[in-house]
Amino acid sequence: MADIITGTHLTIGYNQRVILRDQELHIPAGQITGLIGPNGSGKSTLLKAIAQINSLTAGELQLQGQPLSDFSSKQLATKLAYLAQSPEVPGDLTVATLVKLGRYAYHQGMFGADPDEKVQVQAAMLQAKVADLADRPLNSLSGGQRQRAMIAMTLAQNAEILLLDEPTTYLDLTHQLSVLNLMQCLNRDMGKTIVVVLHDLNQAARYCEHLICVHDGKLVATGTPKQVLTDDLLASVFGVKAELVTPTGCDYPQLLNTETLEDA
Amino acid sequence: MKHNSLWRLNVGLLVLLICLAVVSTAAGVKWYSPLTWVSADHLTQQILLTIRLPRTIAAIFVGAMLALSGQLMQNLSHNPIADPSILGVNAGAMLALMIGGLVGLNLNIVNSLWLSLLGAGVAFVIVLGLAMRRRGLDVLRFILGGTVVSSLITCIAYAVGILTNQTAQYRNLLVGGFANVTMGQVHALFVVLMILLITVACFHNELSLLILDDSTARGLGVRPARTRLIASGLVVLAASMAVAVGGNIGFVGLGVPQIINYWHPDRFDRNVAPTMLLGASFMLGVDLLAKTLDHPNELPLSALSAICGGIFLMMMLNRKHEVVA
């Protein structure tokens, strides 16, 4: 599979703390790539660097061969849509108003008109399954509905690539699954390339075709869930041991009876 | 709320503003009925045109500007209690005007404007500087630091007034008022108001996205630092012009955007018009009280504004039971 985003000699850090040192990054086109790693390993920082929210200390990121730093911030927003981990949004905005904010990059002319706004906003709300909530204020929604509304906002950007930073945090299990299923639909039906930071390794293995494990300033493992999730990696990166079981009819492993190595 | 409710709100507020403007022009030391305006004698028409009308228009413009600057500030800081008058901006403008007057500058329109711009700008940079952190604006530091800086500057202004025995001369600045407004000041207000409106119209999409956190806004293609700079410039310009003409008037910037957001919660740009209209009506109403309640004396505008506004806001808080951050 061709790479849509490549990074060479990536070094990322702030305040003298180096998060990533001289690493190569490959994000395959049209797949769901999961970024995994322990807390503080730099998954979110890497995602923010791809979104050009954090700058690189050294190295270069390219989108289909073109350096990301060449794009203006508006151009970039039409190529990459980034959803922060816990976005700060006023609760009295309605879903439709929120989704319209996603169209910022398409506003043109002196007074910022957007001829496609209506159509695109409606389409984004349908895709994220929040069209029936259009006139509801955000603070009247459940956590899962709110997260889907936020995803609708990023879909209104009409970007080929979605960058999602822990979209399932603070959600209960049903809502986690509804967000992950939505992500899968967007990938399968619309061919979106998705890069997602996930904490739950079982969910990462199940929903991602490609995993990148971040640890100790390095991208320690890259590949399919089966290639990445090994006994060695679980021990050296996460400090746990588990039975790695491949469910019938699936090609990805799941962790059973996970225990920390310290207890063992 | 439905789409047409914004239209109804705007039209309703516009009608209210026009009614208040007519009553405010008719009222004063002597009541001139609007029915007699056209047929009035020369002297009456002179009074209406050179004293009453400028005062009415100035109150409308200043009220609209104060409301806009408060709305921008609340949007900028993600906080409903942010307002240039409690964050030191108005106080900075006031102190600069007093100092300018003391060192012997002629406080004509041009001098007043640049002095108040300078004072407001310096105060705002100090407050913003205290509150900026690597990740963006720290709201709590912004509000607390602003309140402290504001009180400090206000104290210095009063001290300067008392020590130099000039309090009476600066009464208008300290307590606010439109009693001596001239047509020249109205023209200056009009120019500044146009600059504000055109800038807001050009950047309305960006300004609306300031309510999001920096990461999300950048993900959508906004440059938050640039947008913040534009918003800050507008706040300082609006607040300092308002102080240069009307003196230090509180509450309007704090309460009016809140009331509009309570009636009609929506994104920043859609609420600009109703906020400015209500700010203008509020200012006119308070000025009307100031000149008629204790006839023929003028009551202090800032105190009246704070009393009316404070009561109104307390009623609102009581009804809403929550202040959304």
Side-chain angles (χ1 to χ4, degrees):
Chain A
M1 184 69 76
D3 292 334
I4 191 162
I5 295 173
T6 49
T8 44
H9 304 294
L10 293 182
T11 302
I12 306 169
Y14 50 84
N15 299 343
Q16 282 118 39
R17 198 176 144 231
V18 178
I19 306 282
L20 217 59
R21 195 190 296 278
D22 200 21
Q23 295 296 300
E24 309 293 305
L25 175 78
H26 299 278
I27 306 287
Q31 291 195 358
I32 301 182
T33 298
L35 298 182
I36 56 172
N39 281 341
S41 59
K43 310 175 293 272
S44 295
T45 314
L46 174 61
L47 197 72
K48 280 186 180 171
I50 300 173
Q52 302 282 293
I53 287 165
N54 290 354
S55 51
L56 298 174
T57 314
E60 190 182 55
L61 278 161
Q62 293 193 332
L63 174 72
Q64 289 163 326
Q66 214 178 340
L68 277 181
S69 49
D70 283 1
F71 295 103
S72 75
S73 44
K74 272 193 172 186
Q75 280 173 334
L76 202 68
T78 65
K79 314 255 178 216
L80 305 169
Y82 168 81
L83 182 57
Q85 186 177 353
S86 34
E88 207 178 296
V89 182
D92 46 17
L93 285 191
T94 62
V95 172
T97 312
L98 176 77
V99 177
K100 272 184 208 155
L101 297 180
R103 296 293 298 167
Y104 173 71
Y106 294 91
H107 292 302
Q108 29 182 280
M110 191 173 170
F111 297 113
D114 172 17
D116 304 330
E117 184 181 85
K118 231 182 179 148
V119 180
Q120 294 288 344
V121 165
Q122 186 61 27
M125 287 195 298
L126 284 172
Q127 285 153 14
K129 303 180 177 70
V130 288
D132 50 332
L133 306 171
D135 291 324
R136 293 262 302 272
L138 290 169
N139 53 18
S140 74
L141 305 182
S142 73
Q145 289 171 325
R146 197 174 315 160
Q147 189 64 292
R148 290 212 309 271
M150 297 299 306
I151 292 177
M153 176 178 81
T154 57
L155 288 175
Q157 283 176 255
N158 231 344
E160 214 179 321
I161 304 167
L162 292 185
L163 308 171
L164 308 174
D165 194 353
E166 296 196 30
T168 54
T169 318
Y170 308 126
L171 299 182
D172 58 34
L173 193 57
T174 346
H175 291 130
Q176 287 184 21
L177 292 173
S178 92
V179 167
L180 290 168
N181 286 333
L182 171 62
M183 186 178 87
Q184 204 165 42
C185 283
L186 295 172
N187 169 254
R188 286 187 184 158
D189 304 342
M190 305 181 59
K192 301 258 187 207
T193 301
I194 296 173
V195 185
V196 56
V197 174
L198 287 173
H199 253 299
D200 186 314
L201 294 178
N202 281 335
Q203 288 179 350
R206 186 173 154 201
Y207 284 93
C208 305
E209 295 143 286
H210 187 79
L211 289 181
I212 297 175
C213 181
V214 189
H215 180 54
D216 218 7
K218 290 194 281 281
L219 306 183
V220 289
T222 302
T224 62
K226 201 159 202 157
Q227 292 166 333
V228 171
L229 294 174
T230 59
D231 291 330
D232 269 358
L233 182 116
L234 291 180
S236 62
V237 173
F238 294 94
V240 299
K241 65 169 188 171
E243 283 175 55
L244 283 165
V245 181
T246 305
T248 5
C250 302
D251 55 357
Y252 52 81
Q254 292 282 288
L255 282 68
L256 283 183
N257 299 330
T258 314
E259 283 178 64
T260 66
L261 286 174
E262 287 154 32
D263 299 344
Chain B
M1 282 207 191
K2 296 282 175 296
H3 277 290
N4 56 6
S5 73
L6 183 61
W7 271 108
R8 263 185 275 138
L9 184 62
N10 278 331
V11 171
L13 287 170
L14 190 64
V15 171
L16 174 71
L17 180 62
I18 292 169
C19 295
L20 276 168
V22 171
V23 175
S24 166
T25 311
V29 183
K30 186 164 177 270
W31 170 266
Y32 297 110
S33 164
L35 300 171
T36 64
W37 286 359
V38 183
S39 57
D41 58 88
H42 184 71
L43 182 69
T44 311
Q45 286 195 336
Q46 280 300 308
I47 291 174
L48 284 171
L49 282 177
T50 59
I51 299 173
R52 296 287 177 84
L53 199 60
R55 181 170 184 160
T56 299
I57 300 174
I60 291 175
F61 286 176
V62 166
M65 280 185 197
L66 286 172
L68 175 69
S69 65
Q71 194 198 2
L72 275 165
M73 197 75 129
Q74 288 166 17
N75 199 39
L76 178 76
S77 65
H78 304 184
N79 194 298
I81 61 163
D83 169 42
S85 68
I86 63 162
L87 293 177
V89 180
N90 294 17
M94 177 176 80
L95 182 60
L97 283 169
M98 288 182 73
I99 293 172
L102 283 173
V103 299
L105 271 176
N106 173 18
L107 287 185
N108 57 21
I109 301 157
V110 177
N111 281 343
S112 313
L113 183 57
W114 74 256
L115 269 175
S116 56
L117 261 179
L118 183 74
V122 169
F124 193 52
V125 167
I126 293 173
V127 173
L128 210 55
L130 286 172
M132 282 311 287
R133 284 287 168 270
R134 202 185 157 276
R135 295 188 44 168
L137 189 82
D138 182 331
V139 173
L140 197 62
R141 290 181 73 101
F142 189 55
I143 302 290
L144 291 178
T147 314
V148 172
V149 171
S150 179
S151 322
L152 182 70
I153 299 176
T154 311
C155 288
I156 296 173
Y158 273 97
V160 168
I162 291 166
L163 287 176
T164 55
N165 279 324
Q166 301 279 320
T167 317
Q169 193 189 328
Y170 298 113
R171 180 184 180 275
N172 217 38
L173 270 180
L174 292 167
V175 302
F178 296 107
N180 308 310
V181 168
T182 62
M183 213 57 200
Q185 285 177 312
V186 170
H187 291 149
L189 278 172
F190 179 75
V191 172
V192 171
L193 189 68
M194 284 301 120
I195 295 174
L196 291 171
L197 287 178
I198 292 170
T199 317
V200 168
C202 286
F203 295 102
H204 69 108
N205 286 312
E206 277 172 86
L207 292 171
S208 301
L209 286 169
L210 267 181
I211 38 155
L212 303 172
D213 60 294
D214 277 17
S215 295
T216 307
R218 292 179 77 134
L220 296 175
V222 184
R223 281 171 285 171
R226 187 182 88 145
T227 314
R228 215 175 269 135
L229 194 68
I230 296 168
S232 307
L234 290 173
V235 165
V236 169
L237 182 62
S240 55
M241 189 66 208
V243 173
V245 174
N248 193 9
I249 306 165
F251 175 76
V252 187
L254 175 68
V256 169
Q258 285 267 54
I259 292 166
I260 293 295
N261 202 49
Y262 174 77
W263 281 337
H264 184 263
D266 205 336
R267 51 185 272 177
F268 167 79
D269 51 2
R270 286 163 58 81
N271 274 357
V272 166
T275 302
M276 291 179 80
L277 285 170
L278 183 63
S281 295
F282 179 80
M283 199 78 273
L284 264 184
V286 174
D287 185 48
L288 190 62
L289 291 179
K291 62 183 176 183
T292 53
L293 266 189
D294 188 25
H295 182 80
N297 298 318
E298 288 266 340
L299 290 173
L301 191 66
S302 62
L304 270 180
S305 170
I307 292 169
C308 299
I311 292 170
F312 204 20
L313 203 62
M314 273 195 271
M315 278 160 43
M316 305 263 317
L317 284 176
N318 205 25
R319 276 184 63 187
K320 201 173 180 184
H321 289 297
E322 54 160 353
V323 180
V324 201

PDB file of all heavy atoms in Angstrom, chain B residues 162-178:
ATOM      1  N   ILE B 162      -7.161  63.375  43.302  1.00  0.00           N
ATOM      2  CA  ILE B 162      -7.246  63.999  44.625  1.00  0.00           C
ATOM      3  C   ILE B 162      -5.983  64.810  44.931  1.00  0.00           C
ATOM      4  O   ILE B 162      -6.048  65.953  45.370  1.00  0.00           O
ATOM      5  CB  ILE B 162      -7.480  62.910  45.703  1.00  0.00           C
ATOM      6  CG1 ILE B 162      -8.886  62.336  45.525  1.00  0.00           C
ATOM      7  CG2 ILE B 162      -7.312  63.477  47.104  1.00  0.00           C
ATOM      8  CD1 ILE B 162      -9.126  61.056  46.264  1.00  0.00           C
ATOM      9  N   LEU B 163      -4.808  64.214  44.669  1.00  0.00           N
ATOM     10  CA  LEU B 163      -3.550  64.880  44.995  1.00  0.00           C
ATOM     11  C   LEU B 163      -3.380  66.191  44.246  1.00  0.00           C
ATOM     12  O   LEU B 163      -2.778  67.134  44.750  1.00  0.00           O
ATOM     13  CB  LEU B 163      -2.366  63.951  44.676  1.00  0.00           C
ATOM     14  CG  LEU B 163      -2.180  62.786  45.656  1.00  0.00           C
ATOM     15  CD1 LEU B 163      -1.047  61.888  45.187  1.00  0.00           C
ATOM     16  CD2 LEU B 163      -1.906  63.316  47.054  1.00  0.00           C
ATOM     17  N   THR B 164      -3.908  66.227  43.017  1.00  0.00           N
ATOM     18  CA  THR B 164      -3.728  67.457  42.243  1.00  0.00           C
ATOM     19  C   THR B 164      -4.945  68.362  42.352  1.00  0.00           C
ATOM     20  O   THR B 164      -5.030  69.373  41.652  1.00  0.00           O
ATOM     21  CB  THR B 164      -3.493  67.111  40.754  1.00  0.00           C
ATOM     22  OG1 THR B 164      -4.586  66.297  40.319  1.00  0.00           O
ATOM     23  CG2 THR B 164      -2.205  66.362  40.564  1.00  0.00           C
ATOM     24  N   ASN B 165      -5.883  67.997  43.243  1.00  0.00           N
ATOM     25  CA  ASN B 165      -7.099  68.786  43.423  1.00  0.00           C
ATOM     26  C   ASN B 165      -7.859  69.006  42.118  1.00  0.00           C
ATOM     27  O   ASN B 165      -8.400  70.065  41.880  1.00  0.00           O
ATOM     28  CB  ASN B 165      -6.759  70.155  44.034  1.00  0.00           C
ATOM     29  CG  ASN B 165      -6.599  70.025  45.522  1.00  0.00           C
ATOM     30  OD1 ASN B 165      -7.322  69.246  46.158  1.00  0.00           O
ATOM     31  ND2 ASN B 165      -5.646  70.745  46.072  1.00  0.00           N
ATOM     32  N   GLN B 166      -7.831  67.984  41.264  1.00  0.00           N
ATOM     33  CA  GLN B 166      -8.461  68.148  39.955  1.00  0.00           C
ATOM     34  C   GLN B 166      -9.653  67.216  39.793  1.00  0.00           C
ATOM     35  O   GLN B 166     -10.123  67.017  38.675  1.00  0.00           O
ATOM     36  CB  GLN B 166      -7.452  67.832  38.841  1.00  0.00           C
ATOM     37  CG  GLN B 166      -6.215  68.697  38.854  1.00  0.00           C
ATOM     38  CD  GLN B 166      -6.465  70.019  38.208  1.00  0.00           C
ATOM     39  OE1 GLN B 166      -7.150  70.102  37.205  1.00  0.00           O
ATOM     40  NE2 GLN B 166      -5.956  71.089  38.782  1.00  0.00           N
ATOM     41  N   THR B 167     -10.125  66.624  40.899  1.00  0.00           N
ATOM     42  CA  THR B 167     -11.183  65.627  40.769  1.00  0.00           C
ATOM     43  C   THR B 167     -12.386  66.185  40.019  1.00  0.00           C
ATOM     44  O   THR B 167     -12.979  65.514  39.187  1.00  0.00           O
ATOM     45  CB  THR B 167     -11.628  65.135  42.149  1.00  0.00           C
ATOM     46  OG1 THR B 167     -10.453  64.943  42.919  1.00  0.00           O
ATOM     47  CG2 THR B 167     -12.361  63.826  42.047  1.00  0.00           C
ATOM     48  N   ALA B 168     -12.723  67.425  40.312  1.00  0.00           N
ATOM     49  CA  ALA B 168     -13.906  68.008  39.683  1.00  0.00           C
ATOM     50  C   ALA B 168     -13.733  68.074  38.171  1.00  0.00           C
ATOM     51  O   ALA B 168     -14.646  67.747  37.411  1.00  0.00           O
ATOM     52  CB  ALA B 168     -14.148  69.399  40.248  1.00  0.00           C
ATOM     53  N   GLN B 169     -12.509  68.443  37.755  1.00  0.00           N
ATOM     54  CA  GLN B 169     -12.277  68.580  36.320  1.00  0.00           C
ATOM     55  C   GLN B 169     -12.415  67.241  35.594  1.00  0.00           C
ATOM     56  O   GLN B 169     -12.832  67.173  34.456  1.00  0.00           O
ATOM     57  CB  GLN B 169     -10.871  69.152  36.087  1.00  0.00           C
ATOM     58  CG  GLN B 169     -10.663  69.621  34.658  1.00  0.00           C
ATOM     59  CD  GLN B 169      -9.214  69.972  34.419  1.00  0.00           C
ATOM     60  OE1 GLN B 169      -8.510  70.426  35.319  1.00  0.00           O
ATOM     61  NE2 GLN B 169      -8.762  69.768  33.202  1.00  0.00           N
ATOM     62  N   TYR B 170     -12.048  66.152  36.307  1.00  0.00           N
ATOM     63  CA  TYR B 170     -12.094  64.837  35.665  1.00  0.00           C
ATOM     64  C   TYR B 170     -13.333  64.050  36.052  1.00  0.00           C
ATOM     65  O   TYR B 170     -13.397  62.853  35.853  1.00  0.00           O
ATOM     66  CB  TYR B 170     -10.824  64.051  35.980  1.00  0.00           C
ATOM     67  CG  TYR B 170      -9.606  64.731  35.441  1.00  0.00           C
ATOM     68  CD1 TYR B 170      -8.651  65.274  36.278  1.00  0.00           C
ATOM     69  CD2 TYR B 170      -9.451  64.859  34.062  1.00  0.00           C
ATOM     70  CE1 TYR B 170      -7.554  65.939  35.761  1.00  0.00           C
ATOM     71  CE2 TYR B 170      -8.358  65.524  33.540  1.00  0.00           C
ATOM     72  CZ  TYR B 170      -7.412  66.060  34.400  1.00  0.00           C
ATOM     73  OH  TYR B 170      -6.345  66.714  33.876  1.00  0.00           O
ATOM     74  N   ARG B 171     -14.313  64.761  36.634  1.00  0.00           N
ATOM     75  CA  ARG B 171     -15.516  64.082  37.076  1.00  0.00           C
ATOM     76  C   ARG B 171     -16.131  63.272  35.938  1.00  0.00           C
ATOM     77  O   ARG B 171     -16.521  62.123  36.109  1.00  0.00           O
ATOM     78  CB  ARG B 171     -16.533  65.114  37.580  1.00  0.00           C
ATOM     79  CG  ARG B 171     -17.825  64.488  38.054  1.00  0.00           C
ATOM     80  CD  ARG B 171     -18.839  65.550  38.440  1.00  0.00           C
ATOM     81  NE  ARG B 171     -20.058  64.919  38.899  1.00  0.00           N
ATOM     82  CZ  ARG B 171     -21.021  64.507  38.092  1.00  0.00           C
ATOM     83  NH1 ARG B 171     -20.903  64.661  36.800  1.00  0.00           N
ATOM     84  NH2 ARG B 171     -22.104  63.942  38.588  1.00  0.00           N
ATOM     85  N   ASN B 172     -16.160  63.899  34.770  1.00  0.00           N
ATOM     86  CA  ASN B 172     -16.785  63.232  33.633  1.00  0.00           C
ATOM     87  C   ASN B 172     -16.090  61.925  33.283  1.00  0.00           C
ATOM     88  O   ASN B 172     -16.728  60.939  32.953  1.00  0.00           O
ATOM     89  CB  ASN B 172     -16.767  64.177  32.426  1.00  0.00           C
ATOM     90  CG  ASN B 172     -18.026  64.035  31.613  1.00  0.00           C
ATOM     91  OD1 ASN B 172     -19.097  63.862  32.188  1.00  0.00           O
ATOM     92  ND2 ASN B 172     -17.898  64.079  30.307  1.00  0.00           N
ATOM     93  N   LEU B 173     -14.742  61.934  33.367  1.00  0.00           N
ATOM     94  CA  LEU B 173     -13.983  60.721  33.078  1.00  0.00           C
ATOM     95  C   LEU B 173     -14.241  59.653  34.132  1.00  0.00           C
ATOM     96  O   LEU B 173     -14.435  58.488  33.835  1.00  0.00           O
ATOM     97  CB  LEU B 173     -12.488  61.038  33.094  1.00  0.00           C
ATOM     98  CG  LEU B 173     -11.851  61.455  31.787  1.00  0.00           C
ATOM     99  CD1 LEU B 173     -10.383  61.708  32.027  1.00  0.00           C
ATOM    100  CD2 LEU B 173     -12.050  60.361  30.760  1.00  0.00           C
ATOM    101  N   LEU B 174     -14.227  60.090  35.405  1.00  0.00           N
ATOM    102  CA  LEU B 174     -14.304  59.128  36.496  1.00  0.00           C
ATOM    103  C   LEU B 174     -15.690  58.517  36.621  1.00  0.00           C
ATOM    104  O   LEU B 174     -15.827  57.333  36.897  1.00  0.00           O
ATOM    105  CB  LEU B 174     -13.899  59.798  37.822  1.00  0.00           C
ATOM    106  CG  LEU B 174     -12.432  60.194  37.918  1.00  0.00           C
ATOM    107  CD1 LEU B 174     -12.198  61.116  39.101  1.00  0.00           C
ATOM    108  CD2 LEU B 174     -11.544  58.960  38.041  1.00  0.00           C
ATOM    109  N   VAL B 175     -16.727  59.330  36.457  1.00  0.00           N
ATOM    110  CA  VAL B 175     -18.070  58.797  36.663  1.00  0.00           C
ATOM    111  C   VAL B 175     -18.834  58.590  35.352  1.00  0.00           C
ATOM    112  O   VAL B 175     -19.888  57.977  35.346  1.00  0.00           O
ATOM    113  CB  VAL B 175     -18.917  59.688  37.602  1.00  0.00           C
ATOM    114  CG1 VAL B 175     -18.233  59.843  38.931  1.00  0.00           C
ATOM    115  CG2 VAL B 175     -19.195  61.024  36.969  1.00  0.00           C
ATOM    116  N   GLY B 176     -18.293  59.056  34.258  1.00  0.00           N
ATOM    117  CA  GLY B 176     -18.938  58.844  32.975  1.00  0.00           C
ATOM    118  C   GLY B 176     -20.077  59.810  32.738  1.00  0.00           C
ATOM    119  O   GLY B 176     -20.687  60.331  33.665  1.00  0.00           O
ATOM    120  N   GLY B 177     -20.350  60.091  31.464  1.00  0.00           N
ATOM    121  CA  GLY B 177     -21.471  60.965  31.159  1.00  0.00           C
ATOM    122  C   GLY B 177     -21.376  61.534  29.756  1.00  0.00           C
ATOM    123  O   GLY B 177     -20.297  61.571  29.163  1.00  0.00           O
ATOM    124  N   PHE B 178     -22.530  61.941  29.240  1.00  0.00           N
ATOM    125  CA  PHE B 178     -22.572  62.463  27.879  1.00  0.00           C
ATOM    126  C   PHE B 178     -23.013  63.924  27.852  1.00  0.00           C
ATOM    127  O   PHE B 178     -23.457  64.425  26.832  1.00  0.00           O
ATOM    128  CB  PHE B 178     -23.537  61.635  27.028  1.00  0.00           C
ATOM    129  CG  PHE B 178     -23.109  60.207  26.857  1.00  0.00           C
ATOM    130  CD1 PHE B 178     -23.777  59.187  27.519  1.00  0.00           C
ATOM    131  CD2 PHE B 178     -22.025  59.894  26.056  1.00  0.00           C
ATOM    132  CE1 PHE B 178     -23.375  57.882  27.361  1.00  0.00           C
ATOM    133  CE2 PHE B 178     -21.621  58.577  25.902  1.00  0.00           C
ATOM    134  CZ  PHE B 178     -22.304  57.564  26.562  1.00  0.00           C
TER     135      PHE B 178
END
